[in-house]
């Protein structure tokens, strides 16, 4: 360690980017501290994001299966299934507590010092944490992101009527009607939770389709499936205001391109129109840094900013706002600081929407390939023709594989299936190794599994699926 610094590495933020970077830096022999202002470690993901939302998705799916009579055709009759929302929340909180406590244990095990408080830069090698100066040879910004506000709409999570994702993870009762503003990932996941527990769901989306950025075929099919599940989808519609009267939310909407105002009454409104990077109180100027036009801290492929001693990873930096991307950058940035070569392939980062069915993708969409003028082949295989999905009576969705027309190398894959999040890993790994669709088509896949649909979609790229 350079003698004149308190630490080799200080990480600001203990989300999946920051805590992973801190642990790897310590594993590499660097004296490391992590500053976190929250009461518990784990950032957005463990406290108010991935983990509590998945806990509620799992629990609400169990309730829905037990209460909807969906299991009767399999000979399983459940009488008198009841919702105990307090118990559901308690189990979710328990999972969060175990996982955030787990990060604290890992910090201790790896000798990472947790400095509790809020960090602001005082120079390129120093931050101030609640009045205390801390210096380091290298500083990693991993401050994540927060909910993007909707101008004119005031979120009050404690009030439980106009809420953001954090409030929607803790609603004390099931709203009769929940209006979701934004048909993106959070809207569909948390809309699914409350819909399964009995709420009527209306999604108001500014664009003409849900799930922006995903493959067009997937967006269309997903909309069909959510409508079948009872979601009201109001596309090409903008919210012009939300007010609260007599404990009801009054939502004013109009066509995105202008037109007559319509009023929707709801018991709760979830605002989820995206997230924005956390840089406000970082005092970046003191370190000689500026944010870009989108409020992000720019970094290069090594995750280094324009100030050599400062690095940036995760949601605060340009790229997909996903926990696993932040984690991989956390490992790579620590390795780069330690003089090794840390690399993240940003072209192959899978994304999963944890609804039922799940929606997963990796690599390019068909629209992106068209725009880039890349000649490609498509292989589609529906779960309706997959024996395991048929046996389970769970046939919504398909596998779509995109491969280069000339070389046959995989360019992207898009899956809707109850197991999509698990299936996509195989394709991400295959793409990382430069695999062709033929390689997948000639790999033996166990029968009967959903993964056979991946093999068949690869066979379809070559024009020769067996079961279709
Ligand atoms: P964060 O997790 O946001 O952590 C940053 C931390 O820095 C925070 O704890 C914050 O308190 C702290 N901090 C900020 N500024 C300072 C400061 N100046 N001083 C000290 N500490 C500071 N992603 C997935 O991949 N899968 C999912 O299933 C998924 N589900 C999600 C569900 C919801 C409801 C939400 C909101 C997000 C979800 N995400 C999911 C996104 C995921 O949570 C983020 O991409 C991920 O947490 C980003 O990690 P990060 O380390 O960059 O930042
Ligand atoms: P999002 O970007 O996924 O979706 C926001 C939606 O709101 C978009 O469809 C957008 O067109 C729409 N919108 C924007 N302004 C609007 C307006 N004024 N009126 C109506 N609609 C409007 O953002 P979301 O859902 O808030 O999630 C934020 C991020 O968190 C995601 O992009 C993702 O990176 C991460 N996340 C990931 C999850 C996962 O991996 N499973 C789960 C939840 C969140």
């Amino acid at each position: 360690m350079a003698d004149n610094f308190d630490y080799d590495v200080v990480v600001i933020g203990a989300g999946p980017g920051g805590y992973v970077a801190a642990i790897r830096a310590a594993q590499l022999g660097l004296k490391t501290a992590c500053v976190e202002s929250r009461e518990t470690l784990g950032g957005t993901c463990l406290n108010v994001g991935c983990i509590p939302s998945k806990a509620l998705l799992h629990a609400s799916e169990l309730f829905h299966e037990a209460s909807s009579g969906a299991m009767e055709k399999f000979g399983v009759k459940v009488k008198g299934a009841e919702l105990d929302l307090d118990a559901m929340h308690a189990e979710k909180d328990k999972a969060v507590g175990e996982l955030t406590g787990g990060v604290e244990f890992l910090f201790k095990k790896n000798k990472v010092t947790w400095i509790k408080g809020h960090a602001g830069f005082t120079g390129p090698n120093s931050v101030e944490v609640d009045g205390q100066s801390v210096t380091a040879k290298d500083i990693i910004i991993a401050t994540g992101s927060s909910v993007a506000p909707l101008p004119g709409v005031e979120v009050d999570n404690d009030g439980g009527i106009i809420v953001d994702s954090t409030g929607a993870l803790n609603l004390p009762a099931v709203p009769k009607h929940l209006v979701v503003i934004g048909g993106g990932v959070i809207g569909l996941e948390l809309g699914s939770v409350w819909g399964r527990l009995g709420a009527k769901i209306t999604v108001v989306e500014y664009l003409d389709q849900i799930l922006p950025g995903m493959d067009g075929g997937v967006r269309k099919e997903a909309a069909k499936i959510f409508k079948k599940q009872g979601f009201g989808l109001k596309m090409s519609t903008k919210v012009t205001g939300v007010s609260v009267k007599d404990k009801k939310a009054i939502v004013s909407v109009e066509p995105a391109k202008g037109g007559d105002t319509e009023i929707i009454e709801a018991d709760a409104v979830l605002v989820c129109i995206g997230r924005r990077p956390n840089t406000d109180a970082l005092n970046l100027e003191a370190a000689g840094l500026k944010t870009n036009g989108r409020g992000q801290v720019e970094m290069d492929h090594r995750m280094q900013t324009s100030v050599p001693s400062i690095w940036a990873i995760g949601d605060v930096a340009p790229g997909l706002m996903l926990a696993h991307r932040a984690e991989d950058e956390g490992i790579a940035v620590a390795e780069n600081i330690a003089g090794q070569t840390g690399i993240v392939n940003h072209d192959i980062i899978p994304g999963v929407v944890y609804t039922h069915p799940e929606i997963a993708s990796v690599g390019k969409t068909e629209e992106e390939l068209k725009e880039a003028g890349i000649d490609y082949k498509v292989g589609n295989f529906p779960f309706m023709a997959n024996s395991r999905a048929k046996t389970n009576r769970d046939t919504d969705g398909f596998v779509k594989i995109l491969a280069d027309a000339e070389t046959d190398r995989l360019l992207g894959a898009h899956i809707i299936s109850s197991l999509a999040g698990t299936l996509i890993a195989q394709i991400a790994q295959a793409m990382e190794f430069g695999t062709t669709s033929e390689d997948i088509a000639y790999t033996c896949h166990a029968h009967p599994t959903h993964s056979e649909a991946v093999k068949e979609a690869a066979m379809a790229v070559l024009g020769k699926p067996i079961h279709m």
Side-chain angles (χ1 to χ4, degrees), residues 415-434:
I415 306 178
I416 302 183
S417 155
S418 48
L419 293 183
T422 305
L423 296 175
I424 205 72
Q426 159 187 2
I427 301 184
Q429 192 166 36
M431 286 177 72
E432 202 56 74
F433 286 103

Side-chain angles (χ1 to χ4, degrees), residues 126-410:
S126 56
V127 293
E128 193 175 285
V129 185
D130 299 340
Q132 177 202 346
S133 174
V134 183
T135 61
K137 191 163 171 289
D138 289 281
I139 299 178
I140 302 170
I141 304 174
T143 49
S145 64
S146 303
V147 173
L150 177 58
V153 179
E154 206 169 310
V155 165
D156 171 16
N157 284 333
D158 294 333
I161 298 180
I162 306 178
V163 296
D164 59 23
S165 55
T166 302
L169 290 167
N170 283 305
L171 291 180
V174 180
K176 280 204 184 75
H177 184 196
L178 172 67
V179 167
V180 174
I181 307 177
V185 194
I186 293 181
L188 295 169
E189 287 190 358
L190 294 181
S192 292
V193 165
W194 294 106
R196 291 169 191 168
L197 298 182
K200 173 185 167 190
I201 306 294
T202 304
V203 176
V204 181
E205 165 60 49
Y206 186 79
L207 300 175
D208 61 352
Q209 280 194 68
I210 55 171
L211 294 170
M214 288 209 148
D215 185 85
V218 163
R219 295 174 78 184
K220 226 162 122 187
E221 184 66 17
K224 256 196 240 163
I225 292 171
F226 289 120
K227 275 189 200 155
K228 205 168 73 182
Q229 290 179 6
F231 275 64
L233 299 181
K234 275 185 102 57
M235 301 295 101
S236 307
T237 304
K238 65 179 172 197
V239 172
T240 51
V242 184
S243 57
V244 177
K245 204 173 158 199
D246 301 330
K247 301 219 161 153
K248 289 265 180 198
I250 314 294
V251 187
S252 312
V253 301
E254 63 178 50
K257 288 186 180 141
D260 293 342
T261 298
E262 184 194 336
I263 301 293
I264 310 174
E265 212 180 85
D267 305 281
V269 174
L270 163 59
V271 182
C272 46
I273 58 162
R275 295 178 61 82
R276 62 174 189 190
N278 289 331
T279 56
D280 282 356
L282 266 181
N283 199 22
L284 290 174
E285 313 75 51
L289 274 175
K290 280 200 292 239
T291 55
N292 67 14
R294 305 188 64 195
Q296 299 156 324
V297 181
E298 295 269 358
M299 78 312 195
D300 64 13
H301 68 283
R302 301 178 68 233
M303 274 61 85
Q304 197 166 27
T305 70
S306 56
V307 176
S309 59
I310 303 178
W311 309 71
I313 57 170
D315 280 12
V316 75
L320 294 170
M321 286 184 162
L322 295 173
H324 40 285
R325 169 223 159 188
E327 286 186 55
D328 285 7
E329 288 183 352
I331 291 174
V333 75
E335 292 177 349
N336 286 328
I337 289 172
Q340 301 181 355
T341 306
I343 294 171
V344 176
N345 182 354
H346 288 98
D347 290 334
I348 306 180
I349 294 183
V352 182
V353 188
Y354 296 88
T355 47
H356 186 89
E358 294 178 346
I359 304 164
S361 70
V362 65
K364 300 280 184 232
T365 63
E366 215 174 326
E367 292 71 25
E368 285 170 339
L369 293 176
K370 277 190 186 133
E371 201 177 316
I374 296 169
D375 209 6
Y376 62 92
K377 296 177 289 184
V378 188
N380 271 304
F381 191 80
F383 278 93
M384 189 58 106
N386 170 267
S387 59
R388 186 64 180 276
K390 261 187 110 66
T391 309
N392 291 0
R393 301 292 185 241
D394 182 25
T395 50
D396 277 342
F398 55 75
V399 177
K400 173 174 177 175
I401 289 183
L402 302 167
D404 189 284
E406 201 182 322
T407 64
D408 191 37
R409 276 174 79 150
L410 297 181

